[in-house]
Amino acid sequence: MTKSKVARRQPAKADLERILEDLFVEVIDRGEQERSQRPPGYWPYNEDLDTPQEQRDKEAWVTPDLDAAYWETCVQQNDLNAIRRDVEKKLDERSLDHPSDSDLALFLRKALVTVAAAHRQDAEREKGHYAPLQHPFLGQLQETQSPAPRTDGRETVKEAFAAFASQSMTERRWNDGTFADAEKALQLFLGIMNDMPLHQVQRSDALRFRVALCKLPAMRGKSLYEGLEPLKQIERREMIQAALAADGERITVGDRTISKPEAERLAKPLTRKTVNKHLNYFVTLYKRKQDAGEFSGTSPFEKILFSKKLIRDDSETRIVWQADHLQALFTSPAWTGCQSQSHRSTPGTHVFEDERFWVPIIGLFTGMRENEICSLRIDALRRHDKAGCWIIQVVKGKTANAKRQIPVHPELENIGLLDYANAARQEGHDMLFPSLRANRRTGSLAVAFGKWFTRYRQATGLFEKGRDFHSLRHTFETLLIQNFRGDQVLMRAMMGHQQEGMDRVYFHGFEPEQTYPVIKSLDIGVDLSHLHRSRQKSRTLRLGRHA
């Protein structure tokens, strides 16, 4: 929806005085907001800091005295450009014409003096010296409440985020899933920090938000966390951790008693990768504001993300599927005979052929991501005559590098993937797994399958922390590296990862005739001949919705 053009008018004296008042009050409010969040006993000049990170934070801290000295220097040097962007923004927000050059220079000078005076009074408050607010041109001002009431030009985080999300969707930077994830990040911020003017968010606020995210449970919103606000979820997770420390076999939380393994699962915090995912929306929001000239100064979220090394350290906790684990999985009831379609973990005589049967097998032999497999269309399976094989065409995925052509391993043909796809096509389906429905919140087709795969492994005794569906992707890459001595360009291309160095610019991918010999000779170290179509002739095709 486009906004109608608003006619501009010449600023009246009252308009300019309101801008000067806002400039002054915003500085004071930011200082008071930051001080109000400090813990009892806070002392900013304490040299006895616990961690290297706290020491770095102290060294990076700009004191209100230094801020005041900077702005007073700008006044002495008549550096009008230091305040020009903020003034022009406030004029534009009110649909006011910019004054003529001479009048604008005079007003910029007043604005510069105003901000310098505000920072000097804020510096005195930092030392505990409070006096009535004295504006250099408007006289004594009334003390505002904290946080200050919103006035024109004081866009809140929620309002700024809504505009940011709308623009990102309009420009097709985001899809529906990204939009849903961004909304989740915003709700976490509002639930933890409350809404506040965007320009009043301090570095300390961003750091407190990151700390709170790290304390959130990975299962937030589920099980014992269902219906709880973020801070209450953190509180409950800490209760579970305390109960676990008592080392009992049964854990009591409120009026609920749960097993120790369940408590350990509930006590697991968000990974740093997920924390970064939430924070990155705010990093990008402030970057967009800076690029548009709508935010001056340093972003409170600058350098807030956890390093790639720490993220890699977290990912190393994922366990690959060894041969004996794969053998146990693919000889379990869902693949060798179960009681019914809704009781796959109970041994029986039925083998149902649908996504629950095929997605793990495809993942093992292709290294594809869960959602890439669940989102496959039937026409993604096609014959590549030059390579002499069938391929799976991945047209889009998690990243721009996900687009690739993956040769179909001969074992997938033996197990019957092409027969299954042909049967689905003959029934008039476009999707390879038509039983799947998109998640209403994220749009992902993999959510329902992922939940089932977790429940199934728990029910069959195959569940182990760190060994999940994504571990199949780790297994595939590990096997590639072991079998082919780690050709990194080939590995990255087949996994849908971004190339490094100049290969990112000049390398445009392998063709199936080059990758098929690699896939064809890949040995997963497990005998799956019991799943071959020739030996499993009585499977039941399942292409409808699950009960």
Side-chain angles (χ1 to χ4, degrees):
M1 182 181 296
T2 57
K3 293 181 179 179
S4 58
K5 190 172 182 180
V6 179
R8 288 179 174 268
R9 61 179 176 82
Q10 283 294 319
K13 180 182 178 182
D15 295 319
L16 298 178
E17 287 181 349
R18 182 60 180 274
I19 290 175
L20 291 178
E21 180 181 351
D22 280 356
L23 288 169
F24 186 94
V25 170
E26 284 170 8
V27 173
I28 299 298
D29 283 351
R30 281 198 300 269
E32 288 303 300
Q33 182 80 10
E34 198 278 332
R35 285 185 283 272
S36 71
Q37 302 300 324
R38 293 173 182 170
Y42 173 87
W43 181 245
Y45 309 102
N46 186 4
E47 296 293 339
D48 184 18
L49 299 171
D50 294 330
T51 66
Q53 182 59 52
E54 288 178 338
Q55 181 64 41
R56 287 192 292 272
D57 289 344
K58 176 185 179 298
E59 291 169 356
W61 184 52
V62 177
T63 67
D65 260 332
L66 288 176
D67 270 336
Y70 165 77
W71 286 102
E72 287 165 350
T73 299
C74 290
V75 171
Q76 291 168 358
Q77 297 178 351
N78 201 36
D79 184 3
L80 302 183
N81 285 330
I83 198 66
R84 185 184 299 273
R85 180 179 292 179
D86 287 342
V87 168
E88 291 179 344
K89 179 176 181 292
K90 290 187 180 299
L91 289 167
D92 292 341
E93 286 170 344
R94 294 163 171 77
S95 300
L96 299 173
D97 273 334
H98 294 194
S100 61
D101 289 346
S102 59
D103 289 340
L104 180 60
L106 179 61
F107 185 66
L108 289 175
R109 174 74 184 175
K110 286 186 173 182
L112 195 61
V113 172
T114 294
V115 171
H119 277 288
R120 178 51 60 194
Q121 291 182 53
D122 181 60
E124 288 302 305
R125 290 184 167 210
E126 182 72 11
K127 300 170 187 174
H129 304 155
Y130 277 68
L133 295 178
Q134 191 69 29
H135 194 289
F137 302 107
L138 305 177
Q140 187 170 321
L141 298 178
Q142 292 296 316
E143 190 75 31
T144 61
Q145 298 296 316
S146 183
R150 183 175 181 267
T151 61
D152 291 343
R154 294 192 191 173
E155 183 181 38
T156 67
V157 171
K158 184 176 181 180
E159 292 167 338
F161 209 96
F164 162 56
S166 177
Q167 179 187 5
S168 298
M169 291 294 288
T170 300
E171 295 174 351
R172 296 194 295 277
R173 296 173 186 258
W174 293 357
N175 57 27
D176 290 342
T178 312
F179 184 89
D181 287 341
E183 176 64 20
K184 186 191 306 181
L186 173 62
Q187 293 308 315
L188 285 173
F189 183 89
L190 298 178
I192 292 169
M193 306 299 299
N194 296 320
D195 200 9
M196 61 179 76
L198 187 77
H199 285 67
Q200 290 186 12
V201 179
Q202 301 293 300
R203 176 67 174 178
S204 58
D205 296 320
L207 291 171
R208 283 198 306 115
F209 182 46
R210 186 177 74 173
V211 168
L213 288 176
C214 290
K215 293 180 179 179
L216 274 171
M219 289 186 63
R220 66 181 198 82
K222 303 174 184 177
S223 186
L224 297 184
Y225 301 114
E226 187 175 2
L228 296 180
E229 294 299 316
L231 293 177
K232 288 294 184 182
Q233 292 182 31
I234 292 172
E235 182 181 320
R236 177 153 293 181
R237 177 175 167 265
E238 289 173 345
M239 290 172 59
I240 295 172
Q241 286 180 302
L244 279 169
D247 201 28
E249 287 303 314
R250 304 292 293 177
I251 307 298
T252 300
V253 182
D255 59 352
R256 293 278 298 275
T257 300
I258 57 177
S259 67
K260 187 174 181 180
E262 175 68 4
E264 289 173 343
R265 192 162 65 95
L266 288 167
K268 186 178 180 181
L270 291 184
T271 65
R272 284 179 283 208
K273 182 177 180 180
T274 302
V275 171
N276 269 10
K277 182 178 179 180
H278 293 314
L279 291 172
N280 198 50
Y281 289 108
F282 295 91
V283 172
T284 307
L285 167 62
Y286 277 88
K287 180 67 166 58
R288 293 264 191 95
K289 288 288 187 181
Q290 288 173 324
D291 291 345
E294 297 174 356
F295 184 85
S296 58
T298 303
S299 163
F301 286 87
E302 185 173 337
K303 297 181 180 178
I304 196 78
L305 301 179
F306 288 110
S307 68
K308 290 182 179 179
K309 181 182 182 303
L310 288 175
I311 301 301
R312 284 196 300 270
D313 289 346
D314 283 346
S315 68
E316 287 171 3
T317 61
R318 187 166 267 120
I319 309 170
V320 299
W321 289 80
Q322 303 291 350
D324 57 338
H325 299 109
L326 290 171
Q327 192 72 44
L329 178 66
F330 292 117
T331 54
S332 65
W335 287 273
T336 56
C338 63
Q339 186 182 95
S340 66
Q341 64 166 334
S342 57
H343 293 85
R344 304 281 177 110
S345 59
T346 305
T349 58
H350 301 283
V351 176
F352 295 95
E353 198 171 3
D354 55 9
E355 72 280 352
R356 296 178 179 180
F357 179 93
W358 276 112
V359 172
I361 297 175
I362 295 173
L364 175 61
F365 285 101
T366 65
M368 291 173 66
R369 298 175 177 93
E370 192 173 32
N371 199 50
E372 289 175 342
I373 302 173
C374 292
S375 303
L376 283 174
R377 299 180 64 84
I378 292 175
D379 57 14
L381 266 171
R382 60 185 66 177
R383 182 75 181 175
H384 196 284
D385 293 331
K386 190 173 181 181
C389 68
W390 285 81
I391 64 168
I392 297 174
Q393 179 77 49
V394 182
V395 295
K396 65 178 182 178
K398 183 178 178 181
T399 68
N401 304 284
K403 184 178 179 180
R404 61 200 188 279
Q405 299 177 99
I406 306 173
V408 173
H409 194 287
E411 195 72 341
L412 284 176
E413 295 188 50
N414 293 334
I415 296 172
L417 178 60
L418 302 181
D419 296 330
Y420 167 81
N422 188 51
R425 184 185 294 109
Q426 289 179 357
E427 286 201 11
H429 296 291
D430 295 323
M431 303 300 293
L432 191 61
F433 303 114
S435 299
L436 292 171
R437 295 292 182 268
N439 181 267
R440 284 179 293 179
R441 184 182 59 80
T442 66
S444 170
L445 287 166
V447 172
F449 169 79
K451 290 180 178 178
W452 171 82
F453 192 56
T454 297
R455 292 194 305 270
Y456 179 81
R457 289 180 292 123
Q458 290 169 342
T460 53
L462 296 170
F463 183 87
E464 185 175 353
K465 183 179 178 181
R467 185 178 286 115
D468 54 14
F469 184 88
H470 196 73
S471 297
L472 290 171
R473 183 167 160 83
H474 285 238
T475 301
F476 178 80
E477 183 169 17
T478 300
L479 290 170
L480 280 180
I481 294 172
Q482 291 172 346
N483 280 246
F484 304 106
R485 299 292 188 272
D487 181 335
Q488 291 301 310
V489 175
L490 176 66
M491 299 302 110
R492 286 190 288 269
M494 296 188 73
M495 297 299 294
H497 288 155
Q498 185 180 66
Q499 295 293 343
E500 296 181 356
M502 295 307 294
D503 291 329
R504 292 173 60 180
V505 179
Y506 294 108
F507 178 71
H508 296 283
F510 291 98
E511 295 299 322
E513 56 265 34
Q514 298 162 319
T515 55
Y516 180 53
V518 175
I519 291 292
K520 184 178 180 181
S521 59
L522 183 65
D523 181 8
I524 65 168
V526 179
D527 180 11
L528 297 183
S529 60
H530 63 285
L531 299 182
H532 288 185
R533 172 70 72 181
S534 61
R535 297 181 62 177
Q536 264 192 348
K537 297 181 179 179
S538 59
R539 294 182 201 156
T540 301
L541 197 66
R542 184 76 178 89
L543 297 171
R545 298 194 69 176
H546 291 288

